[in-house]
Amino acid sequence: MKLVIRVKLLPTPQQASALKATLHACNEAANHASHHAFTTGIKRNRELRAQIYTQLKDRWGLGAQAAQHVIKKTCDAYTALAANVRAGALGRPNSRRRTKATGKPITFRPDAAQPYDDRMLSWQTEHRTVSIWTVEGRMKRLAYTGHEDQLLLLARRRQGESDLLQQNGQWYLLATIDVPEPPENPAPHGFIGVDLGIENIATTSSGRRHSGRPVNRARENDRRLQRDLAKKNTRSAKRRAKCNAGKQARRTRDINHKISKHIVAEAQRTGRGIALEDLGGIRERARLKKPQRVTLNSWAFGQLGSFIAYKARKAGVPVVYVSPAYTSQECSQCHHIDKRNRPRQAVFACRSCGFVEHADLNASHVIGQRGWWVWVCGAGSQVPVLTLVA
């Protein structure tokens, strides 16, 4: 199983200046390669390299490996764009969003990540330093730090390329490691159903509810602050808005990590699997009013699902995905489906058998039962192949 470990670099001011110049040069070269690929229609690595490889080396002072990685990064970006277009992720043909994405060359930010292979970057794990290529020459004995457990994994299981990244004035290396996966539990004792929502971020069929009220209040305050800063439209207001957006993303990520860790630990401890709703395309399918759309789209349900999935793979816990249709209207006891079974947001009252329970808890029971039937019918684990930052 491949994971990505982020280690923090500790450069001196002179070293940071060289890293910044290198990142800017690589991304300027990538923008040139992207413009050439867009205007000529040549977006394959070998063909594009034959045309601009020498030019990138001479004009931006890139080394041989750096120039090749710049071209490969550009081609990979166009490959990803084409895949998103085919999958419908950018909307329908001729839509504004799709036309905006495909009607101009892909651009790279000055501080966008740049890949490094073992010819450009070497690790001295025993000294916690790296030797890295820059446009100003080879930089040696550049110190780094990180979580002790992750650094041990890095020393033992690092594989492949690493990415140089600048974020909020700090420098990082994203290194790929390959950790062995434990065998998946072949005979789970049932499935924990997980219902995702707004009032309760996640409700499990074991009775645990992760309330979303404090989070929703914080998000509403954040949105109010963003609106006020947008009205001011000053340089300091824009800077503060950017910092606030980063704070929101970090808070969301932290909460999703904690929720997913608890769910997977419970499933592993009790010998059960995890059943999740297949929420792909939920934003396109949902028919909501504008305030409701803001609330729905502001929480990273996909991120929470992916965190559960990759933590489950690490723990050997099977995961299955079930249809989300009518999970909030189906009775977990008699399986009667009726829109009137849910008279209020938090209440489920079956009009057939009279069963009454919290609506989210009932939905989680339904999801867990559907997960069991998916497993019994032979679908097996549906965990997607993921590469995530640890």
Side-chain angles (χ1 to χ4, degrees):
M1 178 181 180
K2 294 189 181 299
L3 296 174
V4 177
I5 288 181
R6 183 170 71 169
V7 298
K8 184 177 181 180
L9 297 177
L10 304 173
T12 64
Q14 294 78 12
Q15 291 174 330
S17 177
L19 292 175
K20 186 174 183 179
T22 301
L23 212 55
H24 286 194
C26 289
N27 285 302
E28 286 180 9
N31 285 329
H32 175 77
S34 175
H35 184 270
H36 184 87
F38 182 81
T39 54
T40 62
I42 300 174
K43 299 174 182 177
R44 292 182 179 274
N45 190 3
R46 181 176 297 179
E47 290 84 350
L48 187 60
R49 186 170 66 235
Q51 294 197 7
I52 65 172
Y53 169 74
T54 304
Q55 184 179 359
L56 297 185
K57 290 181 61 180
D58 296 340
R59 182 173 176 182
W60 283 278
L62 303 185
Q65 292 300 112
Q68 292 192 47
H69 281 293
V70 163
I71 296 170
K72 184 177 183 299
K73 179 171 75 170
T74 303
C75 295
D76 289 345
Y78 278 104
T79 300
L81 176 62
N84 286 330
V85 169
R86 289 194 301 270
L90 297 176
R92 298 177 180 178
N94 300 322
S95 66
R96 181 181 299 178
R97 182 184 177 192
R98 184 164 173 175
T99 302
K100 182 179 179 180
T102 59
K104 60 182 180 180
I106 293 176
T107 57
F108 297 88
R109 303 186 315 275
D111 56 352
Q114 173 64 21
Y116 276 71
D117 61 21
D118 288 343
R119 297 183 183 181
M120 304 166 62
L121 173 69
S122 59
W123 297 78
Q124 295 83 45
T125 54
E126 64 279 5
H127 301 297
R128 304 283 172 84
T129 61
V130 295
S131 172
I132 186 171
W133 171 86
T134 71
V135 291
E136 299 180 7
R138 191 83 177 187
M139 183 187 300
K140 298 182 179 180
R141 293 183 294 278
L142 174 57
Y144 66 85
T145 186
H147 193 278
E148 192 65 31
D149 293 340
Q150 294 189 355
L151 293 182
L152 289 175
L153 283 174
L154 178 68
R156 297 172 184 172
R157 300 190 175 277
R158 186 189 65 84
Q159 286 189 355
E161 299 177 355
S162 303
D163 287 349
L164 176 66
L165 173 69
Q166 184 186 27
Q167 192 174 52
N168 298 325
Q170 304 294 330
W171 290 93
Y172 301 94
L173 281 172
L174 307 182
T176 304
I177 64 171
D178 192 3
V179 296
E181 292 185 37
E184 186 181 83
N185 183 2
H189 305 301
F191 279 79
I192 297 178
V194 182
D195 178 63
L196 305 179
I198 302 298
E199 290 296 323
N200 295 299
I201 298 173
T203 303
T204 66
S205 55
S206 57
R208 179 67 181 268
R209 291 202 298 268
H210 300 271
S211 176
R213 290 183 180 179
V215 178
N216 290 333
R217 285 196 295 267
R219 285 155 57 192
E220 180 57 37
N221 291 335
D222 289 337
R223 286 195 291 268
R224 189 180 301 113
L225 177 60
Q226 291 290 86
R227 288 195 297 267
D228 293 341
L229 293 174
K231 291 179 181 178
K232 292 184 178 181
N233 198 30
T234 61
R235 182 178 299 178
S236 60
K238 292 178 181 179
R239 183 169 60 249
R240 188 179 175 190
K242 183 178 179 180
C243 293
N244 186 60
K247 181 180 179 180
Q248 294 177 47
R250 290 191 297 273
R251 183 198 304 128
T252 299
R253 187 179 184 85
D254 178 65
I255 293 173
N256 283 341
H257 266 304
K258 291 177 179 177
I259 294 175
S260 59
K261 182 178 179 180
H262 174 86
I263 292 173
V264 172
E266 182 180 6
Q268 185 181 27
R269 185 179 65 253
T270 58
R272 289 182 286 178
I274 299 174
L276 300 172
E277 293 176 290
D278 181 5
L279 297 178
I282 184 64
R283 287 181 170 88
E284 289 74 19
R285 296 196 306 269
R287 296 293 182 265
L288 302 171
K289 297 180 180 178
K290 187 174 182 179
Q292 295 172 315
R293 290 200 301 269
V294 172
T295 303
L296 175 66
N297 295 342
S298 60
W299 191 258
F301 292 114
Q303 184 188 78
L304 176 55
S306 65
F307 284 178
I308 293 174
Y310 97 85
K311 290 183 193 317
R313 285 186 64 190
K314 289 178 64 177
V317 174
V319 175
V320 296
Y321 290 83
V322 303
S323 170
Y326 306 109
T327 53
S328 62
Q329 301 176 20
E330 179 180 342
C331 176
S332 60
Q333 301 298 312
C334 69
H335 303 289
H336 173 70
I337 298 176
D338 193 326
K339 186 176 181 179
R340 296 172 297 175
N341 284 349
R342 193 168 180 177
R344 295 192 298 276
Q345 189 277 331
V347 177
F348 183 90
C350 181
R351 299 180 67 87
S352 177
C353 68
F355 175 70
V356 177
E357 194 171 36
H358 190 282
D360 292 340
L361 185 57
N362 175 79
S364 68
H365 285 305
V366 173
I367 294 169
Q369 293 164 2
R370 292 185 183 184
W372 174 251
W373 283 111
V374 168
W375 182 268
V376 169
C377 292
S381 176
Q382 302 296 315
V383 181
V385 177
L386 299 170
T387 302
L388 296 168
V389 177

